[in-house]
Amino acid sequence: MALTRFGISLDEELLGQFDDMIASRGWANRSEALRDLIRDALVRQEWEAGSVETAGTITLVYSHETRELAETLNDIQHSHHDAVVSSMHIHLDEHKCLEVLVVRGQGKVIRAIADRLIGTRGVLHGSLSMTTTGRHIK
Ligand code: NI
């Protein structure tokens, strides 16, 4: 991969804040920090585009004792079997379950699946972590 160098003009105060952030997050240098931030922006763009194939994880916490909840969540996953590529179920304690789903597909489809699962009555907490297949990002 060929590397290109380029200069950036920045307000001194803004550069100071950037350097503080680099130190606190443990980036090796400004270039490494910029590369990560650019990739993060590109991942967000993939998701905002809606139609680009992307990847992520959906995390759910719920009580398996809530009537029909486990079946409902399972039904939703089965109806999107092409997008839910893997799942892990952990019995947190006597009552609570933690489920992590690895999902892959168009951003808008994944978001809709996540919203439906997280919004299901009885789900105590849920989140969608948006990442990328890396196909469009070097
Ligand atoms: Ni469980």
Side-chain angles (χ1 to χ4, degrees):
M1 184 178 18
L3 287 179
T4 302
R5 295 179 66 91
F6 66 101
I8 299 174
S9 302
L10 262 189
D11 184 83
E12 218 171 278
E13 207 174 318
L14 189 60
L15 183 60
Q17 287 179 324
F18 187 48
D19 284 339
D20 289 345
M21 187 173 78
I22 289 169
S24 71
R25 293 213 200 163
W27 272 306
N29 50 52
R30 289 174 180 163
S31 291
E32 196 51 45
L34 264 181
R35 279 191 284 270
D36 279 358
L37 293 172
I38 289 169
R39 284 193 205 100
D40 195 52
L42 290 170
V43 168
R44 259 183 282 131
Q45 193 181 43
E46 269 188 15
W47 279 85
E48 279 159 20
S51 56
V52 178
E53 193 204 32
T54 189
T57 58
I58 299 169
T59 304
L60 303 167
V61 175
Y62 61 92
S63 168
H64 75 93
E65 289 159 339
T66 304
R67 214 170 160 290
E68 292 175 6
L69 177 56
E71 294 90 275
T72 303
L73 296 175
N74 200 28
D75 286 348
I76 296 169
Q77 292 180 48
H78 272 276
S79 60
H80 298 284
H81 60 88
D82 48 341
V84 180
V85 293
S86 181
S87 67
M88 179 168 65
H89 184 112
I90 293 110
H91 310 304
L92 285 176
D93 60 23
E94 291 83 353
H95 315 285
K96 306 281 189 317
C97 303
L98 167 68
E99 219 162 281
V100 181
L101 314 175
V102 177
V103 285
R104 181 175 194 164
Q106 291 185 340
K108 63 184 174 191
V109 174
I110 303 296
R111 266 185 209 274
I113 296 168
D115 286 347
R116 189 145 169 235
L117 289 166
I118 294 165
T120 299
R121 209 167 77 90
V123 172
L124 300 172
H125 182 253
S127 66
L128 168 63
S129 173
M130 294 174 253
T131 184
T132 178
T133 62
R135 191 174 297 167
H136 311 287
I137 296 167
K138 300 298 163 214

